[in-house]
Each structure stands twice: as C-alpha cells, then as structure tokens.
Amino acid sequence: MNRFLPLLMVALMLALLAMMRPAHAQDLAAALAGLADSDPRPAITALTASDDEKAKAALAALAQGNLYLRLADNAVVIGEKDGEMVVVTNAATGDIEDMARPDELQPITLSEDARALLGDAGAAAQGGGPLDFAGAVAALKADNFADKARAIDAFTVLADPRAIPVFQALADGRLFVRKSDGAVVIGNASGNDVALTDAVSQEKAGIVAPAALDVIFVNNNLRNVLREAVGRLGLASPDPAQRRAAANALLDAATPDTVALLREAFAKESNGAAKSAMALSLAAVELADADKTRRLLAIQVLSGSSDLRVRALLQARLSQESEPDVKAALDAAFDRLQFKLQLYGYAENLVQGISLGSVLLLAAVGLAITFGVMGIINMAHGEMIMLGAYSAYVTQEVFRAFLPPSWIGAYLIAALPVAFLVAAAIGIALERGVIRFLYGRPLETMLATWGISLILQQTVRAIFGAPNKEVANPEWMTGALELAGGFAITWNRIYIIIFCFAVLGLIVLILRRTSFGLHMRAVTQNRAMADVMGIPTARVDALTFGLGSGIAGMAGVALSQIGNVSPNLGTIYIVDSFLVVVFGGVGNLMGTLVGALTLGVVNKLLEPVAGAVLGKVVVLVCIILFIQKRPRGLFAAKGRSADA
C-alpha cells in the first residue's frame, strides 16, 4: 500500500489541477465578458489582478481599441486589421480564429472613468509596472520597427494628451534623438538649422544643426497606427482645438472602432466648433449607411461643408448610389459645394493678387521716389533690395551666434533699421560718387547703374558665395490663417501686406509733414524754381536717393521672408518695379499703390487661365497699349516742369 501512496498523491494533484484549470478559464471568460457590461471597471480590476498572459493581452488590446464583441456568438475577441478584413484572436483561449468583416464585430468602448482605470492597468500589462510619460518617450528610440510598435502601443495606453505632438512629429519624420545626450526632441526647420522642443517637457530646447540629430524612422504601417492613435487621444483631449483637429483627421479615415469613439465624444462635446467637426466626420461615415434616411441626413450635413475631402466623398458616392432621390440630393450637394469652392478660389486669387501687389509696391516705392524727383533710371535699384535681404541674413546669424535662442524671433525687427541704413548709405555713396556727374544724360546713367548692379552682385557672391541663403521666419510669422475650403493665408504674407502699407504711410508722413518732404516735393515739381528759392537741390538729391535705396533695403527684408536670398534677387523685381512706376505715374505714390495692386491682382487672375508666363506677356502688352494713350500713367505729375 505504501508503494502506491506516492502515485496516489500525484493522481490527486493532477485531479486538483484539472479542476482548477477550468475554473480559472471560466473566471477569465467571465472577466472578459464583463468588459461589455455597462460598468466594466470590476472586469478591468479582475483582469489587472490576473497573472494570465491572455488577460494582459486583452487589456492591451482594449487600450488600443482592438478588443471587440463578435456579434455571432458574443465572444470577446482581439482584432487586427488585414486589408478590408480583421484577423480574429479569441481573447479567452488565445487561439487565432477565422477572419471577420468589420460589420461582424462591435468595438468595446469605455467611459472616461473606465479608461482612466485602464490607463494604469494597461501600462502595467505592458510589463514591469506602470509606464510614465518620460519612459514612454524614451521607448520610441527602439532599434527595430517591432519594438517601436510595442512602444507606441504602450504609449497609447497612457491616454496622455501630451503624446499627440510626439506622435505627430514621429509620423512626419520630425522626431529626433539628440546625439549629445540621447534626448528625444521634436524638430522644426529654422532656416538651415533645426529648432528643438523637448519631447518630454515640451519646452523649447534651442537650435542646432541637422548633423547633431538622428531621426527616429517609422514605416507606413506605423504611420497608420500613429495617425489612429492621434485621433483616439485627440478625441479625449481637454483642449477643444485638439478634439476638433482629431475629428477633422477622421473625416476620411474613420474605422469602425474610431467611429464608436467618435459617437461617444460627439454625445459629450460642448464646444461648438469641435462638435461641428465631429458631426461632419460622422456624416461622412453615414454617407454609406444602409438606412436611406441616414444617408439623406448625412448629405444634408455634408452639403454645408467646404472641405475638399467632402467633395471627393460626395463624388465617390455618386457612382455607387442607386436610390434616385438620394442621388438627386447628392447631385445638389455636390453642385452647391463646387460653387462654394469656386467662390473661395476667386477669393484666394484676389488675396494672392493683393499679396503680390504689396510685394511689388515695396519693391517699386523707392524707385518711384528717386525716379520722380531726380529722373534717374536706376538699374541698380534691385541690388538695393538684394542688400537689404542679405542684411536680414547677417542679422539673423548674429542673433544666433551671440544672443540666447529665445531672442531669435526679434532678429527681423532689428534687421529693418540695419537694412535701411546699409542700403541708404550705399545709395548716397552711389549718388555722390557716380550719378551726380551724369545728370541730364539718361543713357549714360542707365549704363553706369547697370554696371554698378553687376559689381554689387559679384561683391556679394565673393563675400557670401553663390548658393542661396535661407532666412528663417520668426515663430510669430509661421503658419497660416485657415479660412475655408482649403483657403488659407500664410502669416508672413499677411505681415508683409501690413508692413507695406505701414511703409507707405510713413513715406506720406515724411513727404507731407517734414521740411525735407517739402523740399523734395518742390524739387519734383520744378527743380529750377526750387534752386532759385534757396533749396539745396544737390543735398535733396542725395538724401532722396538714400531714402529710396533705404526703402528698397527694407523691401529686401520683407522679401527674404517669402523666398530664398541670392545675389540675383534684385533682378527678379527690377522689371516689375519699372512697370509699376510707369503705369502708376512717375513720382506719384498713389499711382504707385494703384499700379502695384492692379498688376498684382491682374497677374493672379490671369494665371489660372493663361499661365504665369503668358499672363505676364498679356499684362506687358496691355501696359504698352495703355502708355500709348496715357504717356504719363494713371496719375500724371503736376507742376510747371511736368511737360519738360
């Protein structure tokens, strides 16, 4: 009997284990089923306390939005997308089962309280206890895509809205590892360098050269995961702007599980703009709903939009719709949206024309002053613009080299007086050293200033080199003002328009409210009489040429914000500047303003029809014909010597 006692004990132990295993499996199945209850928190707590790897996998899938209730048998399953189908894993057994269509699965969604509880539980399920934000950021530096995918999943579990800019930067290729200390940073272009933001603290971390950084790479699959994660986190963000951006991102990329989150967020949303964006994204989903009434309601919501993606959705649905009345509603909504976008297109061309006109005004206003007062055809005027642009570049480099990084945004303000003084000094030197000996000889003056323009170009090439120099926009000039229908105005253009009119107003004050302005107007109207009256015409000529050159220098600072700086920058604008001056009327500021805006708007309106090159040819021919009828331009000069 004693011989069989050990065997009997082993048999009893095996029997106990056999009895315990089904009980454990039953407990796991019950906890998983509890996730679909109205209050899933007890189930989350039970799964968190479990040591079963299947429980941890279920928590991780729930946090990622990959846990579903299979409608056929109410089984809790983990789903992984594979094209248009979903690979199903039974959460209770861990067995991979047949693939399913998305409409055969119902996503398991959580309330805010349950998601907060899941945040700690899911992080612990990823291994080694709770994961903090800094640890999640550091984990993104993994060497391979599989580890990065696990790091992204663990990061998503935290449900921390600070992850949104990190995920966006990672998807856009703007997340880096700083070589000096291994810190993970977000980078944005700042001229030829990169402006850094610490990914953990999300505070500015200075400006470095690209060589000081290693980019964190992701593949297309990870980018899709990141975009979906941004949508999930954004919908739960406390910031209404982030919730609106997340809903907008899901407009044409919503999945069945994100649709459930979107509906839940829409029901709770109180911010009007965010709620409208969510309603639009939900309408985009319901555009393909089986219920005809829902499709009609969705069309009604979408017809009020001006988003280009909505137009694509309506157009795609038109070819699929079979119901006549729904198709008629789609046609009406598409036509309404198309008309609205066409109006926005005209408005955009008008604004771009005003923007181009302001650039031409800045380039031409200095020429209008010197041409009007002195009658000088200054072919080196474009090089004064170029010198102003290089003054902005030098000022930017001085700020970067000698001042704290937080001051870099002020370099543009400092560059304006620097550019004015540099260009004005060279202009006065040019007038005193060359031009004053050539008065009354327009051909020689034109040839001399053309030669000087070539000298200035080669001098700049010798000092700075031939390659373009990029002048970075300050932070307060970056981005755009988004209006509707893809219509946006960049902030640098807006500031240039404002700056242009400010400069014009300042010139008017100088001409109307100062003795120098009085003398300048006197010389413009009748040089001989002004000389007889004791006005120092030679001094007025020098200061006028300096003023016109200085304004051109400030124009160069403005132009450096919308393009690269090169030695040939001035040649781009010199011809248009002369066209503006001749068309508007020599020496007349109002004519220069009207001429610049007219040429800018007409050019932009002709570009969509005739193209950029043919549009300029048409404008040039029209100006030639106009000058044949009105040789003095729109606003003719007045004075006794006007006909001289």
Side-chain angles (χ1 to χ4, degrees):
M1 183 67 182
N2 291 336
R3 286 184 308 170
F4 296 103
L5 187 59
L7 294 176
L8 184 60
M9 295 294 294
V10 171
L12 288 172
M13 290 178 63
L14 291 174
L16 287 172
L17 287 173
M19 293 173 61
M20 291 174 61
R21 185 173 179 183
H24 176 74
Q26 290 175 3
D27 291 342
L28 178 60
L32 290 171
L35 294 174
D37 293 343
S38 58
D39 184 8
R41 288 177 294 180
I44 294 174
T45 304
L47 291 172
T48 305
S50 174
D51 294 330
D52 196 317
E53 292 297 326
K54 294 187 287 294
K56 295 181 180 180
L59 285 176
L62 181 61
Q64 298 160 25
N66 293 333
L67 200 65
Y68 301 88
L69 194 66
R70 187 162 52 196
L71 299 178
D73 57 1
N74 286 333
V76 178
V77 296
I78 299 171
E80 295 289 342
K81 296 175 192 173
D82 186 3
E84 295 182 355
M85 301 295 286
V86 180
V87 178
V88 172
T89 301
N90 192 300
T93 64
D95 297 331
I96 298 177
E97 301 181 350
D98 293 337
M99 299 184 74
R101 296 192 307 273
D103 58 3
E104 296 175 341
L105 305 173
Q106 177 182 329
I108 295 178
T109 58
L110 301 176
S111 64
E112 290 186 5
D113 293 341
R115 183 164 290 279
L117 179 62
L118 179 65
D120 295 333
Q126 292 294 324
L131 182 69
D132 63 359
F133 187 81
V137 170
L140 297 176
K141 297 188 292 183
D143 294 330
N144 56 69
F145 292 139
D147 290 341
K148 287 177 183 176
R150 284 190 287 271
I152 293 169
D153 291 343
F155 207 160
T156 307
V157 168
L158 293 178
D160 193 322
R162 291 178 297 170
I164 294 176
V166 178
F167 283 173
Q168 288 173 333
L170 183 56
D172 296 340
R174 296 182 294 106
L175 197 67
F176 303 92
V177 176
R178 189 164 50 196
K179 293 180 180 179
S180 60
D181 57 2
V184 179
V185 292
I186 298 171
N188 292 291
S190 177
N192 295 324
D193 296 326
V194 182
L196 303 182
T197 301
D198 188 274
V200 177
S201 65
Q202 301 194 350
E203 296 178 352
K204 295 188 182 303
I207 299 175
V208 300
L213 304 170
D214 284 328
V215 66
I216 300 178
F217 292 102
V218 293
N219 57 19
N220 287 333
N221 290 334
L222 288 180
R223 287 190 185 93
N224 293 332
V225 172
L226 287 166
R227 292 190 182 99
E228 187 174 343
V230 168
R232 292 176 182 280
L233 293 172
L235 290 176
S237 171
D239 183 3
Q242 287 190 347
R243 296 198 299 274
R244 180 185 179 188
N248 187 53
L250 295 173
L251 178 62
D252 57 351
T255 58
D257 47 342
T258 53
V259 168
L261 293 174
L262 195 58
R263 292 186 192 280
E264 183 181 350
F266 178 77
K268 299 176 182 177
E269 186 58 62
S270 58
N271 180 268
K275 198 174 186 71
S276 297
M278 293 175 186
L280 199 65
S281 295
L282 287 172
V285 173
E286 293 174 351
L287 192 62
D289 196 279
D291 186 352
K292 173 182 171 181
T293 305
R294 284 193 172 185
R295 295 203 303 276
L296 288 171
L297 290 174
I299 293 169
Q300 184 178 357
V301 173
L302 293 173
S303 66
S305 172
S306 57
D307 196 299
L308 294 172
R309 294 172 296 173
V310 172
R311 182 178 66 176
L313 289 170
L314 292 174
Q315 192 170 20
R317 186 62 195 173
L318 268 170
S319 61
Q320 302 170 2
E321 185 57 57
S322 58
E323 294 283 348
D325 51 345
V326 179
K327 196 162 189 174
L330 280 169
D331 273 322
F334 183 81
D335 292 341
R336 178 183 175 187
L337 180 56
Q338 190 74 0
F339 178 71
K340 193 183 299 185
L341 290 175
Q342 193 173 17
L343 291 180
Y344 285 138
Y346 291 143
E348 185 174 10
N349 286 334
L350 179 62
V351 172
Q352 288 182 352
I354 295 173
S355 174
L356 176 61
S358 67
V359 171
L360 294 178
L361 177 59
L362 279 174
V365 68
L367 184 64
I369 293 174
T370 55
F371 197 13
V373 174
M374 305 165 64
I376 296 297
I377 302 175
N378 180 19
M379 298 298 294
H381 182 77
E383 278 54 53
M384 301 302 165
I385 297 174
M386 178 262 292
L387 290 174
Y390 273 97
S391 297
Y393 170 73
V394 171
T395 305
Q396 170 191 261
E397 296 306 304
V398 169
F399 267 66
R400 286 178 176 174
F402 299 105
L403 293 175
S406 58
W407 288 35
I408 189 65
Y411 88 87
L412 192 63
I413 298 174
L416 289 172
V418 170
F420 180 87
L421 292 175
V422 168
I426 293 178
I428 291 173
L430 176 61
E431 194 279 334
R432 290 287 84 190
V434 178
I435 293 177
R436 72 188 180 100
F437 301 109
L438 300 174
Y439 285 140
R441 298 154 64 184
L443 181 60
E444 288 88 339
T445 303
M446 185 171 65
L447 291 174
T449 53
W450 179 61
I452 290 169
S453 73
L454 297 179
I455 292 172
L456 290 174
Q457 287 183 31
Q458 293 303 321
T459 302
V460 168
R461 282 193 180 92
I463 296 173
F464 297 100
N468 293 347
K469 302 295 182 183
E470 186 174 2
V471 179
N473 293 132
E475 187 176 354
W476 45 274
M477 284 185 70
T478 57
L481 177 62
E482 297 183 4
L483 300 177
F487 175 28
I489 311 173
T490 57
W491 283 111
N492 56 357
R493 292 278 184 178
I494 294 174
Y495 280 112
I496 287 176
I497 293 173
I498 296 172
F499 176 69
C500 157
F501 285 98
V503 169
L504 189 64
L506 181 62
I507 294 172
V508 171
L509 285 177
I510 292 174
L511 293 179
R512 300 293 178 185
R513 301 297 180 185
T514 66
S515 59
F516 169 63
L518 180 63
H519 293 169
M520 189 191 304
R521 285 184 287 129
V523 173
T524 301
Q525 294 178 17
N526 194 318
R527 175 179 291 272
M529 182 61 71
D531 194 14
V532 170
M533 295 297 295
I535 295 175
T537 55
R539 180 170 175 269
V540 170
D541 287 339
L543 293 177
T544 300
F545 205 89
L547 176 63
S549 300
I551 293 170
M554 291 196 297
V557 175
L559 293 176
S560 70
Q561 300 300 301
I562 58 175
N564 289 322
V565 176
S566 73
N568 298 322
L569 176 64
T571 59
I572 300 173
Y573 295 98
I574 185 64
V575 175
D576 286 334
S577 298
F578 275 109
L579 285 178
V580 168
V581 172
V582 173
F583 176 61
V586 175
N588 191 293
L589 291 181
M590 180 57 69
T592 304
L593 171 63
V594 174
L597 293 180
T598 301
L599 290 183
V601 171
V602 170
N603 265 310
K604 286 300 178 182
L605 291 178
L606 286 176
E607 277 184 13
V609 179
V613 176
L614 185 58
K616 281 187 174 293
V617 172
V618 171
V619 169
L620 180 59
V621 171
C622 291
I623 290 178
I624 292 173
L625 295 176
F626 176 80
I627 295 301
Q628 294 295 318
K629 297 295 184 182
R630 290 182 65 93
R632 298 180 187 174
L634 285 173
F635 296 85
K638 297 178 181 179
R640 295 179 181 178
S641 60
D643 297 322

